[in-house]
Amino acid sequence: MDAQGRGRADNIDPADQWVLNPNTGEYELRLTPSAPQSGVPRPRRGSPANAGPGAGAGTRARRAPERESPATPGPDVPGPRRRRGAPAEPPPGRRKGRTKPKKSKAKKILLWTGGSMAFVLVAVSAAGYLYLKHLEGNVSTTDVGSAGKKGFSKDEAFNILIIGTDKRTGKGNEGYGDKGSVGHADTNILLHVSKDRTNATALSIPRDLIVDVPDCPVKQSDGTEKVIPGTQNVRFNTSLGQDGRNAGCTMLTVKAVTGIVPDHFMMADFNAVKTLTSAVGGVDVCVAHAVNDKESHLKLPAGKSKVEGEQALAFVRTRHSFGNQGDLDRIKVQQQFLGSLMRKMASSDTLTNPAKLFSLAEAATKALTVDTGIGKVSTLKDVALELKKVPTKNITFTTVPVLDNPAEKVKATVVVNQSQAPAVFDAIKNDVSFTAVKQKEKKEKAEVAARLKGTRSAASDIRVDIYNGGAPAGSAQETLNWLQNTEGVLKSSQLGNADATLSKTTLEYSPDQADQARKLADLMGLSASALKPGKSEKNSQGLPAIVLTLGKDFKGAGVSLTTPTKAPEVDKSTADKTVCAS
């Protein structure tokens, strides 16, 4: 192409590149022509290169003729042909009045869809991020220090303490709770979710349970830490709010009473019940007989009803219409209500309704106060997704076994039933389900059969090295003394602290020492899962010895460490069933 031709091509306006195709009668786009074109159709392949105008006169062009711009055709070049009836092409340089060429319908749809989808994806991503940040701003957090974990793990069992306070915040709550309350722990549920996510246990703790509240450190607004002295022989609900205690104090109280360590807490007040039930469009409840409670203003016919908002709050707060009109009967009603709320949240009616999901996200985040370990919305989402893996039929509601307080003539408070409660606490600590989970039970039985079946050596033949791997200080020496002086295990040594901290006590041994391991397991009350076939070590005399490492579960020399394989029989309900309150 010569310089003149290049100049012409470079100066072509894109609007002038729509030209008429004589074969179709429609305009087509011609981009970046390599050279100025005349109106004469190009010769076909095989035609003489020097053919004159007449040579192509009778041949229909395959390509639409391109208008030369801005130059005019030379004297020997005829003007562009056009079909009869086709509109004449406007003369060069005249653009006013040009009819905009029509794009095909398919092209229009494709362009619109592609551009819109790109915009929507960008908009959704930006909106999702902004909405996540918005929700993050809704959540209130409390730093409970060492009382809770710093983060959340998807691969472990976890315990969350759910607290409902009796603080009168919000319009319409004057009829509930104690007037002027600082916000006591009115409703308390310790939710344990198993490691394999096959089951969960929701353990209610009565607010009127008599306990000893331990000393607890509380972070002040200026960043300093203040230790609030503990109190003895008081109601459980005073573990929160009283003397400036925060939820971390309630978590420490739960640990002191049950031996179960809460990892995190979630706290809500009366308004949470209102907003959450309204967000899901109401919760189904059932009462055995008609209710007309003048104090809570709850009115329900016998049978099934749907409650939300103010009526839902009245339902969970009413205590004069059910059972013996006490707190223990109200706890059962609250458990039934929570089971119904879980079913509603997990229903397709909620999960497939964007409006309900947005309302639920807003209500839940505004209603909750949580510890800093789960204070991010993304972490709360992870917690919810892990809980969602548990079938509702395997979510068990039960209550700490209690007795009337024997110190009272007029029964108003309760105490832990020491003959029944420890078994419940142990089952939860050891991740044992209160519902039948066949897969887990079969696995445990297989371990017992494989590791504990076989001959036992004499106690005097056991050669064992003892380490402390997380038990209280002095436990290894205590165990050594007990084994030597009480059980006749004379070939035993205490070798101090282990390299790592263990949650469970372990007993490692080589295959030829299995009979010694089985005998020591019998003496200490170790379950099959505590036995770890592997390698032994050389003791101080250079002889092979099995290795006993005492973990955090160690309860004292001579106290059995056998992990329960079956939960005790308790008064319970499950989240999948509707029970009518009576």
Side-chain angles (χ1 to χ4, degrees):
M1 180 184 290
D2 58 19
Q4 185 180 8
R6 285 196 302 271
R8 289 190 187 120
D10 292 341
N11 292 326
I12 291 175
D13 189 320
D16 285 333
Q17 293 176 284
W18 286 91
V19 297
L20 182 69
N21 185 334
N23 291 329
T24 62
E26 296 184 4
Y27 285 92
E28 293 181 354
L29 183 63
R30 294 285 180 265
L31 296 174
T32 60
S34 60
Q37 304 293 321
S38 74
V40 181
R42 293 184 177 182
R44 297 181 181 181
R45 285 185 181 179
S47 299
N50 60 351
T59 305
R60 185 175 297 276
R62 290 196 176 189
R63 292 184 55 186
E66 297 188 28
R67 183 165 51 86
E68 190 177 88
S69 173
T72 55
D76 296 330
V77 180
R81 297 183 180 185
R82 64 185 177 90
R83 288 191 307 173
R84 182 175 297 174
E89 191 172 355
R94 294 183 62 187
R95 297 176 188 166
K96 290 184 178 181
R98 177 189 296 277
T99 303
K100 189 173 181 180
K102 295 181 180 180
K103 299 178 185 179
S104 71
K105 188 174 291 185
K107 277 186 178 178
K108 285 183 179 179
I109 294 173
L110 207 60
L111 288 170
W112 185 89
T113 304
S116 297
M117 283 302 294
F119 175 78
V120 168
L121 288 173
V122 172
V124 167
S125 298
Y129 174 79
L130 293 174
Y131 189 64
L132 190 68
K133 287 297 179 185
H134 162 71
L135 291 177
E136 208 116 287
N138 288 346
V139 182
S140 299
T141 60
T142 298
D143 188 347
V144 296
S146 60
K149 286 189 174 180
K150 300 301 180 185
F152 175 73
S153 174
K154 298 179 183 179
D155 302 320
E156 298 177 354
F158 61 91
N159 301 313
I160 295 182
L161 180 61
I162 301 170
I163 305 171
T165 74
D166 63 353
K167 197 169 185 178
R168 292 184 179 184
T169 57
K171 185 179 179 181
N173 294 331
E174 294 81 5
Y176 305 105
D178 298 325
K179 185 177 182 180
S181 173
V182 292
H184 292 125
D186 195 51
T187 299
N188 309 278
I189 296 175
L190 181 61
L191 177 65
H192 170 81
V193 180
S194 70
K195 182 176 181 178
D196 59 11
R197 306 300 187 251
T198 60
N199 65 92
T201 303
L203 179 69
S204 290
I205 304 172
R207 66 174 190 176
D208 295 328
L209 180 67
I210 296 300
V211 299
D212 292 340
V213 177
D215 296 349
C216 69
V218 173
K219 284 197 174 182
Q220 307 297 298
S221 57
D222 60 0
T224 61
E225 190 173 85
K226 175 184 177 182
V227 176
I228 300 176
T231 51
Q232 287 72 47
N233 203 36
V234 293
R235 279 180 166 88
F236 181 90
N237 66 347
T238 60
S239 64
L240 177 69
Q242 197 78 14
D243 302 321
R245 296 186 179 110
N246 65 14
C249 301
T250 309
M251 294 169 74
L252 292 174
T253 305
V254 170
K255 178 182 176 182
V257 173
T258 67
I260 304 167
V261 181
D263 301 313
H264 305 284
F265 85 88
M266 294 181 179
M267 183 168 64
D269 58 20
F270 293 147
N271 288 322
V273 177
K274 294 182 183 180
T275 55
L276 287 174
T277 53
S278 295
V280 297
V283 173
D284 296 324
V285 297
C286 181
V287 292
H289 53 79
V291 174
N292 186 1
D293 193 312
K294 294 181 180 179
E295 293 194 21
S296 68
H297 307 295
L298 177 68
K299 291 184 179 181
L300 289 176
K304 295 181 179 180
S305 299
K306 181 177 288 186
V307 296
E308 68 175 281
E310 189 72 38
Q311 195 178 32
L313 178 58
F315 182 80
V316 297
R317 293 298 305 164
T318 295
R319 63 186 296 175
H320 297 289
S321 298
F322 306 114
N324 296 321
Q325 303 185 11
D327 192 51
L328 295 178
D329 290 301
R330 180 168 63 177
I331 285 175
K332 292 181 180 179
V333 173
Q334 291 172 346
Q335 291 172 347
Q336 295 161 15
F337 176 84
L338 286 174
S340 182
L341 179 59
M342 285 182 176
R343 293 194 298 274
K344 188 61 180 284
M345 286 182 172
S347 69
S348 59
D349 180 50
T350 299
L351 297 178
T352 60
N353 188 322
K356 282 187 179 180
L357 286 176
F358 275 102
S359 295
L360 188 57
E362 288 286 348
T365 51
K366 286 180 179 178
L368 290 177
T369 298
V370 301
D371 61 280
T372 51
I374 54 172
K376 291 185 177 180
V377 169
S378 57
T379 309
L380 289 172
K381 176 206 70 176
D382 289 341
V383 173
L385 290 177
E386 292 305 305
L387 180 57
K388 187 175 181 293
K389 294 178 182 178
V390 182
T392 54
K393 68 178 181 179
N394 289 338
I395 300 177
T396 303
F397 290 99
T398 190
T399 305
V400 172
V402 295
L403 298 170
D404 287 334
N405 188 351
E408 295 176 336
K409 291 183 178 180
V410 178
K411 305 304 179 183
T413 61
V414 292
V415 296
V416 173
N417 185 337
Q418 294 298 341
S419 67
Q420 296 180 8
V424 174
F425 302 153
D426 283 347
I428 294 174
K429 280 190 290 185
N430 290 290
D431 208 20
V432 177
S433 175
F434 282 78
T435 57
V437 183
K438 295 180 180 179
Q439 183 179 3
K440 187 173 181 180
E441 290 177 0
K442 286 181 180 179
K443 182 179 178 182
E444 180 67 17
K445 288 178 181 179
E447 287 179 328
V448 171
R451 298 180 186 179
L452 292 180
K453 186 176 181 180
T455 60
R456 267 76 169 160
S457 71
S460 58
D461 291 335
I462 298 173
R463 190 177 290 111
V464 58
D465 287 343
I466 307 167
Y467 292 89
N468 189 329
S475 295
Q477 185 62 47
E478 178 189 352
T479 301
L480 176 68
N481 295 338
W482 172 73
L483 286 174
Q484 289 184 341
N485 300 327
T486 305
E487 301 300 331
V489 183
L490 302 178
K491 300 174 184 177
S492 49
S493 304
Q494 189 273 107
L495 299 180
N497 293 329
D499 294 332
T501 299
L502 303 178
S503 59
K504 306 272 187 186
T505 296
T506 63
L507 182 59
E508 189 171 4
Y509 57 95
S510 62
D512 61 342
Q513 296 169 310
D515 58 342
Q516 296 181 40
R518 286 191 284 266
K519 179 61 177 180
L520 188 58
D522 291 345
L523 295 176
M524 296 197 62
L526 295 176
S527 66
S529 60
L531 274 63
K532 305 293 181 185
K535 296 179 180 180
S536 59
E537 68 177 20
K538 299 289 185 181
N539 68 4
S540 56
Q541 288 81 39
L543 299 172
I546 60 180
V547 179
L548 174 65
T549 306
L550 305 176
K552 291 181 179 179
D553 62 337
F554 181 76
K555 302 173 184 178
V559 180
S560 176
L561 290 175
T562 301
T563 302
T565 58
K566 186 177 181 181
E569 291 296 326
V570 293
D571 186 11
K572 64 184 181 182
S573 61
T574 52
D576 64 319
K577 295 178 181 177
T578 300
V579 181
C580 292
S582 59

